[in-house]
Amino acid sequence: MRPERIAVLGAGGFLGSHIAPALVAAGDTEIDAVDVQFDKLGPEHERIHRIRARIDEPAIIDEVVRRCDAVLSLTALCNPALYNTKPLEVIDASYSDLVPLVKACAAHRKRLIHFSTCEVYGRTALDAAGRPMREMNEEETGFFLGPLDRERWTYACAKQLLERVIWAYGRHQGLEFTVIRPFNVIGARMDFIPGVDGEGVPRVLASFIGALLRGDELLLVDGGRPRRSFISAEDFVGAIVAVLKRRDACRGEVLNVGNPSNDISIRELAVALSRAFAARLPGAAPARLRNVAAEEIYGPGYDDTAERIPDIAKARRLLDWEPRMSIAETIPPIVDDYLARYGQPATPIRPAAGMQGGQ
Ligand code: UGA
C-alpha cells in the first residue's frame, strides 16, 4: 500500500509546525507542507515536502488537492488584534480564499479536515432557548455574536460561514469532512514577539512573554478577569493524529478540541508565566501587571468573551483521547522555548512579592 499523502495548508505556522512532524512520526505518511514561510517547521524531513505558495492561488490549491488523499486546512488570520483593524483581510483569509479549497475537495473527492475556531460560539454559551450553558457543545450551543460595530466578531462570522459551506457540501455534494474547533492552544513557537519577528499585538501568551522579555508591564484587559481553557499543543496534536486515523468515526463531524480542566483567568495566566520566568532567571526584578482598557490595546470595535469552556465529550468518545497536561506542566517548556529562541531578557524579571493568582 502506498503511504497516505496529506496536504497541510499553513504547515509553517504555530499549529502546523506541531502537527506536520507528529503526522510523519505517527505513520507511513507523506506530507505536502504548503506555506509562505517555514521558519517554525524545524529541520528538513524526507517525508515533509515543502511547497512555498499562497493558498489564495486557485491553481496551487487544485494541484495540491488532486495529488493528496486528505487536506488539513490551517491557514487563518486568527489574532483578535486584526479582527477590527484588518477585517477585510480576515474575511478573505477565513472565508473567501478557502471556498475554492472546499469546492476542490468536493470535486476531487478528497477528505477535508478544516480547522475552524471556538470563536464561532461567540460572546457566551447559550442554548437554543437562550439559556446559559457552562460548556460549549457542538450540537447544543448557539452562535451568539455581537452587533456589526463590534468588529471583533468579523472573524467568528467568516469562520462560521465557511463551516456552513463545508457542512452543505457534505450534506448535499458528498464532501467527506471533519471540522475541528480548537480552544486556546498554547505551545512553543506561538505567534511572534512584537518588534523582533512581527509587529502589532499577538495573542495573549506571546503578548505576556514579549512583555516579560522586554521587562515591560503585562497588560490586563478588563482586570484579567476573562477566562480561557488553555490546551497544550502536545495534547492538541494527539487529538489531530487520532482524527486522521479514525476516518470513519470522524466523517461529517464537528469536534471541539480543548481542555476544560485548564479553565483559568487571564490574570492567573499572567502570574503563572511570570513565575515560570522567575524560576528560570533567579534574582531578577519583579514582573509588573497593569490593568488597561481594551481600547488601549485593540482600538475601537473590540469585544470579548468572558469564559470559553469546551465540552469535549464527543472528542473523547470518537477519538478515545483525553487531554492530560495541566497549566503547571504546560507553561515551563513554553518559557524555555521562548528564551531559547529570543534570548535572555534585556531587563531581568521576577514575580512581585505577594502576587496572587487572581480571579
Ligand atoms: C483567539 C482567537 O480569536 C481564536 O480564534 C483562537 O481560537 C484563540 O485565540 C486561541 O488562541 O486558540 P482569544 O482567546 O480571545 O481568541 O485571544 P487572545 O488574544 O489570546 O486573548 C485572550 C484574552 O486575553 C482576552 O480576554 C484578551 O483581552 C486578553 N489579553 C490579551 C490581555 O488581557 N492582555 C494582552 O496583552 C492580550
Side-chain angles (χ1 to χ4, degrees):
M1 245 175 71
R2 75 173 175 83
E4 189 177 28
R5 192 168 196 106
I6 302 172
V8 180
L9 311 185
F14 161 54
L15 291 181
S17 76
H18 286 272
I19 290 170
L23 291 178
V24 289
D28 190 13
T29 304
E30 296 278 334
I31 303 286
D32 280 345
V34 183
D35 211 317
V36 289
Q37 52 77 29
F38 295 101
D39 303 345
K40 297 187 179 185
L41 193 51
E44 299 275 346
H45 187 290
E46 58 182 4
R47 285 189 283 122
I48 300 181
H49 312 284
R50 300 179 184 213
I51 300 169
R52 200 172 293 272
R54 296 176 55 89
I55 55 96
D56 58 3
E57 295 168 19
I60 294 282
I61 290 299
D62 203 65
E63 186 190 320
V64 168
V65 170
R66 274 175 194 274
R67 199 168 48 217
C68 70
D69 303 299
V71 179
L72 260 68
S73 83
L74 286 156
T75 56
L77 291 177
C78 57
N79 175 350
L82 302 176
Y83 306 164
N84 59 323
T85 55
K86 296 193 183 306
L88 297 175
E89 288 90 333
V90 167
I91 290 169
D92 280 345
S94 309
Y95 177 73
S96 324
D97 295 346
L98 296 177
V99 173
L101 170 71
V102 180
K103 290 185 175 176
C105 288
H108 299 304
R109 302 256 159 230
K110 300 300 168 71
R111 184 181 180 202
L112 173 63
I113 296 149
H114 177 66
F115 288 69
S116 184
T117 174
C118 54
E119 290 247 335
V120 293
Y121 294 112
R123 284 173 149 169
T124 190
L126 298 176
D127 71 10
R131 286 179 299 247
M133 304 174 74
R134 186 178 136 73
E135 296 183 343
M136 291 164 164
N137 173 277
E138 299 92 334
E139 276 78 40
E140 306 296 330
T141 307
F143 297 153
F144 178 46
L145 309 184
L148 286 186
D149 66 350
R150 309 299 146 74
E151 287 184 284
R152 159 62 185 259
W153 305 111
T154 300
Y155 171 73
C157 189
K159 293 288 262 192
Q160 185 201 139
L161 184 54
L162 196 77
E163 285 195 15
R164 290 192 186 275
V165 170
I166 292 170
W167 182 270
Y169 269 96
R171 235 9 248 274
H172 304 286
Q173 308 258 332
L175 172 67
E176 180 183 347
F177 74 87
T178 306
V179 168
I180 311 287
R181 293 184 184 150
F183 279 68
N184 289 87
V185 188
I186 51 172
R189 306 185 290 281
M190 191 171 181
D191 292 350
F192 59 90
I193 297 299
V196 181
D197 54 359
E199 292 303 330
V201 184
R203 283 174 290 181
V204 67
L205 179 93
S207 286
F208 286 170
I209 292 180
L212 289 164
L213 286 165
R214 291 188 302 272
D216 284 349
E217 294 162 319
L218 281 64
L219 303 180
L220 300 178
V221 175
D222 192 18
R225 272 183 295 268
R227 305 180 71 83
R228 295 291 187 272
S229 303
F230 293 100
I231 181 171
S232 72
E234 290 77 8
D235 279 335
F236 183 77
V237 165
I240 304 312
V241 170
V243 167
L244 262 297
K245 289 187 171 165
R246 294 173 173 241
R247 182 170 179 169
D248 289 339
C250 295
R251 182 170 289 145
E253 295 288 353
V254 179
L255 288 176
N256 290 342
V257 180
N259 188 341
S261 304
N262 285 344
D263 167 41
I264 61 168
S265 72
I266 297 303
R267 186 182 183 86
E268 286 171 307
L269 177 73
V271 171
L273 282 167
S274 303
R275 290 199 171 131
F277 255 72
R280 293 293 184 270
L281 302 165
R288 291 163 296 137
L289 312 184
R290 178 163 69 89
N291 293 341
V292 291
E295 287 224 341
E296 193 178 315
I297 296 187
Y298 297 107
Y302 182 72
D303 200 0
D304 203 357
T305 177
E307 185 172 65
R308 198 152 65 191
I309 307 175
D311 178 338
I312 57 168
K314 186 160 40 157
R316 284 185 172 120
R317 179 165 49 81
L318 298 183
L319 307 179
D320 188 24
W321 162 89
E322 183 69 35
R324 304 207 178 275
M325 289 176 71
S326 66
I327 295 288
E329 290 165 323
T330 303
I331 282 181
I334 298 177
V335 168
D336 288 341
D337 167 77
Y338 277 87
L339 284 173
R341 279 189 303 129
Y342 296 95
Q344 303 290 309
T347 313
I349 34 80
R350 70 176 159 76
M355 197 162 71
Q356 298 294 315
Q359 323 153 36

